[in-house]
Amino acid sequence: MRNRQLKALSGTPLCGNSDPKKEVSNGVKAKNLKRKAKSRATRNSVVFALYLAAFSLIAVRCAVTDVEKSSVHGNGSDTSKWQDLKLWYRQPAQEWTEALPVGNGRLGAMVFGGTEHERLQFNEETLWTGRPREYHHDGAVEYLPIVRKLLFEGKQREAEELAAEHMMSVPLRQERYQPFGDLHLHLPGHDKASDYRRELDIDAGIARVHYRIGEATFTREVFSSFPDQVIVVRLTCSEPGRLTFTATMDSQHPKTRVLVVDKDVPALRGRLREYTSRRLKRQMPSVLKFEARLGWKAQGGKVRITNDALEVKNANSATLILAAATSFKNFKDVSAAPAAACRRAIEAAADKSYDALRKAHIADHRCLFRRVELDLGTTEATSQPTDKRIENFAKQDDPQLVELYFQFGRYLLIASSRPGTQPANLQGIWNDKLEPPWESKWTTNINTEMNYWPAEVCNLSECHEPLFDLIDDVAQSGRKTAKAHYGCRGWVLHHNTDLWRGTAPINNSNHGIWVTGGAWLCQHLWEHYLFTGDKKFLEERAYPVMKEAALFFVDFLIEDLKTGWLISTPSNSPENGGLVAGPAMDHQIIRDLFTNCIEAAEILGVDGDFRQRLTKLRGRIAPNQIGQYGQLQEWLEDKDNPKNQHRHVSHLFGLHPGKEITRRGTPDLFAAARKSLEFRGDGGTGWSMAWKVNFWARFEDGDRAYKMLSSLLTSQRMYPNMFDSHPPFQIDGNFGGTAGIAEMLLQSHTGEGPRFAGTEIHLLPALPKVWAEGSVKGLCARGGFEIGITWSNGRLTKSVIRSKLGNKCRVRADAPVRITCKGRPIRTTTPEENVFEFETELGRTYVVSTD
């Protein structure tokens, strides 16, 4: 069983060594601490190796040539172009959605930036209510034929009532992601600060606070380190001996206490208690234990440890190291030791200076972050604080805010999803509420998938891996749900899951019974293969899970008595229209899954009979239909309401993120899909509008896509800290918007056939008029290509394409081009106007130019 909780790492403790309530000087008894660490080194070495394996994956990706850095990849050596990638403000945060997020995939914190009182609200990704349990409803399958019959007879209400009573999850609702605690810094006399500035440097992954008290300048830096698995806080003053503060920790959870461990390390220790579910009207058990520890080093001055505080007086500078962990090992095992995990993390940082911790963090972060560079131009608007730029975006020219928004989305994915961690949930890893909106779960009828749309195209493939871990888990629990609820082989996931990997339908039958959540997640496995060409991944990890997901639908699909088509029932078009037979989205997702499985099996040379079975069944699934208004039908029947502006646009899955509806391949369905999107309108929640950016990009309508994007960059759909406003905060809108910008500049989902080697790279498919000049480097295309694009006057001038797999390349441009490699023309074919095909060699770079 894979351990989801990163527990790095060996080392020595970073803290003083005095008794509680006793003052100590800044000298640390390093020899004693090293002896402690040495005794633990052996048992920590295995855990340390896990971390090194994850970190080495990133290090390998950083080893690119100078040519790749300068022409295709973001150029990490030129620091000047990254300096504007900061969110900054002239005042501390008053609300949580004004605070600035830092994270390492596992540990997240929101930095408020107060002067007299600083607050770091922090999270650890595995602190959830609940316990290991089964969610499936034994005996539900007995009611399946009755519910289907009622739906065929048009008795929707009766079907929903029967399904609600007998076919839902036990219990009916899933669990809640929880806040961990708060680190408070009390700085007496700092209420009269001047020259205040608070910022988040997304290029470095560091939150900073800077202000003056009299002639003294005070600075704080906060980051969450992936290499060292701790949150680091650095406090400095320009005048020696002027730094005085008290650090305390607390938590919203009642069963917590603050104590001193290992003689001089403040700790926050607790256990989640049972809670009352207002909707279920009963007590719900919780079992997880948790602990946070605060290591410290002070330069100059004195430090005093009490039972509930760390007091630093008259120091020159100080470094605080926050570690946090829970007893979660995996969704079946909660026997981990959080105290030991915290001790290891603190000890691992002990011999490292602040500069060493900072340098390792920045190197790790930039290795991912600087892969992609976007330049849309800069105006005087960059001189304004970020909150003012958001307020003024609709009435001023500020293209750099789009660039900042794009890169902020990439920053958030790096900060909330790393190899070995949980995937980003509805709020990434940041949550301050005991009852967060929608429990801050993984909602799989759009939101979880949207979180990972930027992963491959925006050159963060490693950040995709936690989602694959979740898929492995829900495939296990989903087998039981498939059997208990539907009598089917394979596995199924409905529209939500939680830390305990529930897969049964929750909440209510009219939207909870939706059977294609797992099938949609499987698209991410296939997409990872399309972008990377990792055949081992396809063979050992992706295809077995995809095959089982397809096997479920081999058993589940039934024949519609009126049409003879195979349909999915019972199900729903997500959160719209109630329980039905045959929603279009289901059929699009199932066809996509079958197609990907067929192709994967062909590539691997396996399962010939199964491929034939899927091919035959795929041809019988209810097709996309054009309705009376010229729209793409959302349901089997032609009953769409053209005035319905529901936030979900589920029946356009085949347009995006699917690929069965395309401009050149299916023009009639393409036009019908556009009509449906026009009916839905330009409004919606944050994530809904982000999806519409991607839809309009697929329609190759850059100005309409930009209209949707610009609506996201306003105070109605964005909080001052650039978090997406659903409202309330949901992180999916950030990720969907970032993916939409990439989709406007580069598309690679179509081609001459299903094999990714024939994928077409479409350069600038949806460039809006407002982006007349610009460039992008480091985006990725299916087929194993890394792309740089430059344009002027709204037209392509040059593209640099690096072939990472040696596949055939097909390029669609807006004008005739010439293609060279090392300055020499290469042979191309032109199957249609402005489309060019050529063979590539692994590792070679090709220049596409219009001059």
Side-chain angles (χ1 to χ4, degrees):
M1 188 68 64
R2 184 179 286 107
N3 187 340
R4 300 287 193 266
Q5 189 177 14
L6 283 178
K7 289 183 248 176
L9 309 159
S10 62
T12 55
L14 184 62
C15 57
N17 196 31
S18 61
D19 293 329
K21 299 184 179 179
K22 180 180 179 181
E23 289 190 353
V24 295
S25 69
N26 75 23
V28 177
K29 298 181 180 178
K31 292 183 179 180
N32 291 337
L33 301 179
K34 290 178 180 178
R35 282 198 294 268
K36 291 181 183 179
K38 185 176 181 180
S39 67
R40 300 184 180 101
T42 301
R43 60 185 169 89
N44 290 338
S45 61
V46 174
V47 179
F48 188 57
L50 291 174
Y51 154 73
L52 287 177
F55 188 64
S56 65
L57 290 174
I58 299 171
V60 169
R61 288 294 307 273
C62 286
V64 295
T65 66
D66 291 339
V67 171
E68 291 161 2
K69 284 183 178 179
S70 61
S71 59
V72 181
H73 206 285
N75 187 354
S77 61
D78 183 357
T79 60
S80 61
K81 62 188 64 179
W82 304 99
Q83 291 178 356
D84 289 334
L85 293 180
K86 295 183 178 71
L87 289 67
W88 71 276
Y89 309 83
R90 292 194 175 109
Q91 70 285 330
Q94 300 299 316
E95 304 291 337
W96 190 83
T97 47
E98 297 174 358
L100 297 174
V102 296
N104 65 9
R106 186 179 69 85
L107 293 173
M110 297 293 286
V111 184
F112 282 69
T115 56
E116 192 174 31
H117 171 216
E118 170 66 288
R119 177 190 175 198
L120 275 70
Q121 183 272 315
F122 63 95
N123 294 91
E124 200 276 352
E125 61 170 0
T126 63
L127 190 62
W128 287 66
T129 61
R131 60 178 175 82
R133 66 173 309 137
E134 306 287 358
Y135 282 96
H136 63 268
H137 192 151
D138 286 326
V141 66
E142 298 174 13
Y143 296 88
L144 177 62
I146 306 173
V147 170
R148 282 174 165 170
K149 183 174 183 293
L150 289 170
L151 290 174
F152 280 134
E153 293 172 351
K155 299 177 181 179
Q156 184 188 58
R157 181 177 178 180
E158 292 91 332
E160 289 176 350
E161 289 176 350
L162 186 68
E165 184 176 358
H166 297 288
M167 297 187 69
M168 302 301 290
S169 170
V170 181
L172 188 59
R173 305 192 72 84
Q174 292 176 352
E175 296 296 344
R176 307 166 178 172
Y177 181 48
Q178 294 291 282
F180 199 108
D182 289 85
L183 171 62
H184 302 276
L185 304 179
H186 304 274
L187 299 101
H190 285 220
D191 56 327
K192 304 297 184 182
S194 62
D195 295 339
Y196 179 92
R197 178 179 170 114
R198 173 173 62 103
E199 69 178 30
L200 176 64
D201 182 345
I202 61 174
D203 174 50
I206 296 176
R208 298 188 186 93
V209 179
H210 180 93
Y211 57 89
R212 286 193 306 112
I213 302 291
E215 297 301 315
T217 299
F218 291 85
T219 303
R220 292 196 296 274
E221 290 193 334
V222 182
F223 59 86
S224 186
S225 168
F226 180 73
D228 289 287
Q229 286 300 300
V230 291
I231 294 171
V232 181
V233 183
R234 176 71 167 177
L235 301 93
T236 61
C237 179
S238 62
E239 296 184 359
R242 288 284 305 273
L243 183 63
T244 295
F245 68 92
T246 300
T248 61
M249 291 186 290
D250 59 27
S251 175
Q252 297 181 57
H253 301 290
K255 290 187 176 181
T256 58
R257 62 191 180 102
V258 177
L259 65 158
V260 176
V261 298
D262 293 343
K263 295 186 178 181
D264 52 12
V265 179
L268 177 71
R269 182 174 294 170
R271 176 174 179 167
L272 294 185
R273 67 173 185 175
E274 65 179 14
Y275 67 95
T276 302
S277 171
R278 290 182 290 108
R279 292 180 175 175
L280 298 180
K281 294 181 173 57
R282 63 186 177 96
Q283 292 292 104
M284 303 295 293
S286 294
V287 299
L288 285 175
K289 301 175 184 177
F290 58 94
E291 183 158 327
R293 294 189 177 189
L294 189 64
W296 56 270
K297 272 187 179 179
Q299 289 72 44
K302 294 184 177 181
V303 178
R304 181 172 179 261
I305 308 294
T306 69
N307 285 334
D308 61 357
L310 167 70
E311 299 176 359
V312 177
K313 292 184 178 181
N314 303 322
N316 303 326
S317 62
T319 303
L320 305 179
I321 306 295
L322 179 64
T326 77
S327 58
F328 179 86
K329 277 191 173 181
N330 56 62
F331 74 101
K332 297 178 181 180
D333 187 347
V334 293
S335 64
C342 288
R343 181 183 297 113
R344 285 193 296 267
I346 297 292
E347 289 173 352
D351 276 344
K352 299 179 182 179
S353 66
Y354 173 74
D355 288 343
L357 292 168
R358 187 179 188 275
K359 183 178 180 180
H361 161 72
I362 292 177
D364 163 71
H365 175 78
R366 284 181 175 166
C367 182
L368 293 166
F369 186 79
R370 287 193 172 184
R371 290 176 183 173
V372 175
E373 178 185 333
L374 176 64
D375 183 0
L376 298 175
T378 301
T379 67
E380 293 180 356
T382 58
S383 63
Q384 301 169 9
T386 303
D387 50 345
K388 299 303 180 184
R389 294 172 71 185
I390 295 170
E391 289 178 11
N392 297 330
F393 183 74
K395 53 189 177 184
Q396 69 181 8
D397 183 20
D398 192 0
Q400 200 272 340
L401 187 64
V402 177
E403 176 188 343
L404 184 65
Y405 173 78
F406 170 80
Q407 294 287 25
F408 183 59
R410 295 183 66 250
Y411 167 85
L412 290 176
L413 191 58
I414 294 169
S416 63
S417 185
R418 289 294 202 104
T421 72
Q422 297 290 320
N425 62 44
L426 279 173
Q427 297 185 181
I429 55 172
W430 300 278
N431 168 45
D432 66 330
K433 293 179 172 61
L434 296 176
E435 297 185 42
W438 300 281
E439 292 80 42
S440 194
K441 303 189 300 294
W442 292 278
T443 301
T444 55
N445 64 6
I446 175 61
N447 315 91
T448 300
E449 290 86 354
M450 183 179 284
N451 284 1
Y452 286 91
W453 287 350
E456 301 295 340
V457 67
C458 292
N459 216 332
L460 296 173
S461 189
E462 299 94 329
C463 296
H464 218 163
E465 292 182 19
L467 183 65
F468 306 151
D469 292 338
L470 181 142
I471 296 171
D472 288 342
D473 288 349
V474 293
Q476 294 181 50
S477 52
R479 293 185 191 108
K480 297 177 182 179
T481 301
K483 183 177 180 180
H485 286 245
Y486 306 107
C488 295
R489 298 169 294 172
W491 67 279
V492 66
L493 169 65
H494 294 79
H495 88 300
N496 270 280
T497 192
D498 60 4
L499 187 72
W500 314 110
R501 303 316 191 227
T503 55
I506 65 168
N507 300 350
N508 201 316
S509 63
N510 65 358
H511 65 276
I513 296 180
W514 179 73
V515 293
T516 45
W520 191 349
L521 287 179
C522 283
Q523 185 190 60
H524 286 258
L525 297 168
W526 179 243
E527 287 286 285
H528 182 70
Y529 171 71
L530 295 183
F531 277 91
T532 66
D534 187 341
K535 191 171 181 180
K536 183 178 180 181
F537 170 84
L538 181 67
E539 179 178 16
E540 297 180 359
R541 191 164 191 189
Y543 177 66
V545 177
M546 293 164 58
K547 179 183 176 181
E548 274 201 86
L551 188 62
F552 171 81
F553 292 103
V554 169
D555 293 349
F556 179 77
L557 292 171
I558 65 169
E559 186 174 298
D560 175 47
L561 300 179
K562 294 181 180 179
T563 64
W565 293 330
L566 293 179
I567 64 170
S568 170
T569 183
S571 193
N572 74 91
S573 190
E575 303 179 29
N576 184 27
L579 200 63
V580 297
M585 184 192 218
D586 273 20
H587 301 150
Q588 293 171 0
I589 291 175
I590 295 165
R591 272 193 299 271
D592 184 75
L593 174 64
F594 281 11
T595 299
N596 298 340
C597 281
I598 293 165
E599 180 66 15
E602 289 177 352
I603 291 169
L604 298 174
V606 297
D607 294 333
D609 292 341
F610 187 62
R611 294 202 309 263
Q612 292 179 11
R613 181 78 186 279
L614 293 185
T615 302
K616 183 178 179 181
L617 291 174
R618 181 182 59 181
R620 294 186 58 203
I621 295 173
N624 292 308
Q625 301 178 82
I626 300 175
Q628 59 185 312
Y629 303 106
Q631 88 284 6
L632 187 70
Q633 288 183 198
E634 187 165 359
W635 295 279
L636 198 62
E637 305 83 11
D638 187 1
K639 60 180 184 180
D640 298 73
N641 180 357
K643 296 182 180 180
N644 180 0
Q645 296 191 341
H646 197 274
R647 62 192 177 277
H648 283 266
V649 198
S650 303
H651 51 310
L652 267 60
F653 171 92
L655 173 72
H656 182 279
K659 59 184 179 183
E660 70 175 13
I661 299 174
T662 64
R663 178 174 182 173
R664 297 163 188 86
T666 58
D668 292 340
L669 291 174
F670 189 77
R674 184 177 182 119
K675 180 67 70 174
S676 289
L677 188 57
E678 289 171 347
F679 286 157
R680 279 297 204 260
D682 292 340
T685 60
W687 63 260
S688 177
M689 296 171 76
W691 199 358
K692 291 174 183 177
V693 175
N694 288 271
F695 284 142
W696 287 113
R698 287 279 170 100
F699 284 127
E700 301 177 18
D701 190 334
D703 290 337
R704 193 69 177 268
Y706 180 77
K707 179 183 179 182
M708 298 307 308
L709 178 64
S710 61
S711 296
L712 284 172
L713 298 175
T714 64
S715 54
Q716 288 74 41
R717 284 291 173 264
M718 183 185 292
Y719 290 107
N721 65 358
M722 295 194 81
F723 273 173
D724 174 75
S725 174
H726 177 282
F729 163 54
Q730 278 188 200
I731 205 167
D732 40 28
N734 288 101
F735 294 137
T738 291
I741 293 169
E743 199 76 19
M744 293 165 74
L745 301 175
L746 174 70
Q747 294 178 19
S748 63
H749 60 289
T750 64
E752 60 191 18
R755 290 185 180 275
F756 77 87
T759 290
E760 177 179 285
I761 297 173
H762 192 170
L763 304 173
L764 305 179
L767 187 70
K769 293 184 180 66
V770 295
W771 297 347
E773 315 285 331
S775 65
V776 66
K777 297 178 182 178
L779 294 181
C780 293
R782 295 165 183 85
F785 299 100
E786 192 167 310
I787 314 292
I789 309 171
T790 304
W791 64 93
S792 180
N793 295 318
R795 305 299 297 270
L796 173 73
T797 57
K798 185 173 76 170
S799 176
V800 181
I801 301 174
R802 182 167 68 94
S803 177
K804 297 188 288 186
L805 298 174
N807 285 320
K808 185 178 183 180
C809 186
R810 173 173 168 148
V811 173
R812 179 178 295 273
D814 60 4
V817 299
R818 64 187 184 92
I819 302 173
T820 61
C821 181
K822 293 186 174 181
R824 299 176 181 176
I826 64 168
R827 178 179 298 178
T828 63
T829 59
T830 309
E832 58 182 279
E833 185 179 9
N834 295 335
V835 176
F836 308 88
E837 294 180 355
F838 55 97
E839 301 292 337
T840 74
E841 296 182 30
L842 186 151
R844 288 287 179 90
T845 297
Y846 301 83
V847 177
V848 179
S849 56
T850 57
D851 53 12

